Amino acid sequence: MAIILAINAGSSSVKASVYETSIPSSPPNQLAEASISGLTAPPATFTLRAGSTNTGKQEIRDVDSQASAFEYILNHLQACETLPQISDKHDIRYVCHRVVHGGDYPDAHIIDDNTFHHLQDLTELAPLHNASALAIVKTCTKLLPNAKNIAYFDTSFHASMPDAAKTYSIDPRVAKENKLRKYGFHGISYSFITRSVAHFLGKDIDATNIIALHLGSGASACAVKGGKSVDNSMGLTPLSGLPGATRSGNVDPSLIFHFTHDAGKPAPGSTRKMHISQAEDILNTKSGWKALTGTTNFGHISSSSDPQCKLAFDIFTDRVVGYIGSYYVKLGGEVDALVFAGGIGEKADLFRSRVLEKCRSLGFELDEQRNHEAVTKTVQDIGSPGARHRTLVCQTDEQ
């Protein structure tokens, strides 16, 4: 038996899951999961579940980085009485890291020195996530010297996108030299969704066509044809596509040139003090629902009568519907299911209802009673039995 540690490092959190597997004959069995959140808004909180152990949320001190959070989690996993499988850190054979941006890597990759340095070079394209993941890789190398570190990329699932979908209309030489193209993201989630939906429908993966929506603080849409990604709403970076909690999503590229104290005056000097890092910060962390409403809580936005909240809700609905329509055409109308996933996709029944109202002409219809029921299964049908296409909710897993 082999012990696998799966790590998902976010900008303010670290999640770890422990699996046991007999390679390669059986799927892994989850033994435990632990997480630390609130690294950027202390005090951080720690949770651990393993068998009968459930710590609940515990406030912790002196943990203020992804590296120190991982070390804290590892120590508590080893000390957990209901997790004897890793009482010694040398019991861990593989450490699997979620890395958001993998550049041109089409598949998972063992992390050696060359891989590590390549991923460092990509950090500026996903600064909040790649940097966190690489900090933990360095810590793993020190604390678990006998374990093999493997990177799984959010971009890999989208390596199948055709050139027409992933190529930008810019100078090809510059694009090639600087690797400027659409990469797509949330690929680990979409891979899980595709497998789970194919199993639910009783279809082979390579015969499965879906429009999948990963909707959370970061949101995206994906067209899957024959089990492979043919388009994703995110692009060179996760900023492109749908708006999110703090991301703008698609905007006119020239907008940022006007986003100064001299806004609306496109004179040559009007953006002379705008550095590229400031522009990225505005569009990545000071936009989205937070800029429109003052909150990143989509549940509050959905239930509020405030005009700005209603506008933010309508904007998100409009953009999601636009991608559904676009991807429906890309799939030639041969769609097995429209799939909602992510925190909003799984929980926001009102949002799902509004989206489906606008998609009835495509053959998607909700069963309102099913739509209001709690999602308790990995894949759950919320569509009307008489609809032309299925509408599903998937509890996705990025671990």
Side-chain angles (χ1 to χ4, degrees), residues 217-219 237-253 255-256 259 279-292 315-316 319 323:
S217 295
T237 74
L239 177 60
S240 179
L242 294 170
T246 64
R247 291 177 181 144
S248 66
N250 281 351
V251 295
D252 185 324
L255 175 146
I256 199 63
F259 208 110
E280 287 188 318
D281 184 54
I282 289 169
L283 297 177
N284 270 300
T285 68
K286 295 181 172 64
S287 299
W289 318 321
K290 184 178 182 180
L292 290 167
I315 288 172
F316 195 45
R319 304 304 191 267
Y323 277 106

Side-chain angles (χ1 to χ4, degrees), residues 72-129:
Y72 187 96
I73 288 173
L74 181 62
N75 288 339
H76 282 72
L77 288 173
Q78 286 180 245
C80 182
E81 294 182 356
T82 55
L83 191 62
Q85 293 89 340
I86 58 168
S87 56
D88 189 310
K89 65 178 65 175
H90 298 297
D91 293 329
I92 300 172
R93 190 181 300 180
Y94 302 98
V95 184
C96 301
H97 303 263
R98 179 198 174 200
V99 179
V100 167
H101 211 308
D104 292 323
Y105 285 133
D107 300 298
H109 216 79
I110 294 173
I111 304 175
D112 55 20
D113 287 342
N114 289 334
T115 307
F116 186 87
H117 292 310
H118 179 67
L119 296 177
Q120 275 187 317
D121 293 339
L122 294 169
T123 295
E124 64 184 43
L125 297 180
L128 297 180
H129 295 87

Side-chain angles (χ1 to χ4, degrees), residues 199-281:
H199 178 75
F200 178 82
L201 296 175
K203 302 191 67 170
D204 292 336
I205 292 177
D206 60 8
T208 300
N209 299 343
I210 61 174
I211 299 170
L213 306 169
H214 180 109
L215 307 177
S217 295
S220 70
C222 185
V224 177
K225 184 175 184 178
K228 298 181 183 299
S229 172
V230 293
D231 206 354
N232 180 248
S233 58
M234 289 179 165
L236 173 70
T237 74
L239 177 60
S240 179
L242 294 170
T246 64
R247 291 177 181 144
S248 66
N250 281 351
V251 295
D252 185 324
S254 66
L255 175 146
I256 199 63
F257 302 136
H258 300 258
F259 208 110
T260 69
H261 293 298
D262 298 322
K265 300 179 181 179
S270 66
T271 57
R272 63 186 181 275
K273 295 182 181 179
M274 176 69 74
H275 190 274
I276 186 171
S277 60
Q278 183 184 358
E280 287 188 318
D281 184 54

Side-chain angles (χ1 to χ4, degrees), residues 317-329:
T317 303
D318 176 81
R319 304 304 191 267
V320 168
V321 168
Y323 277 106
I324 293 172
S326 173
Y327 291 168
Y328 189 88
V329 172

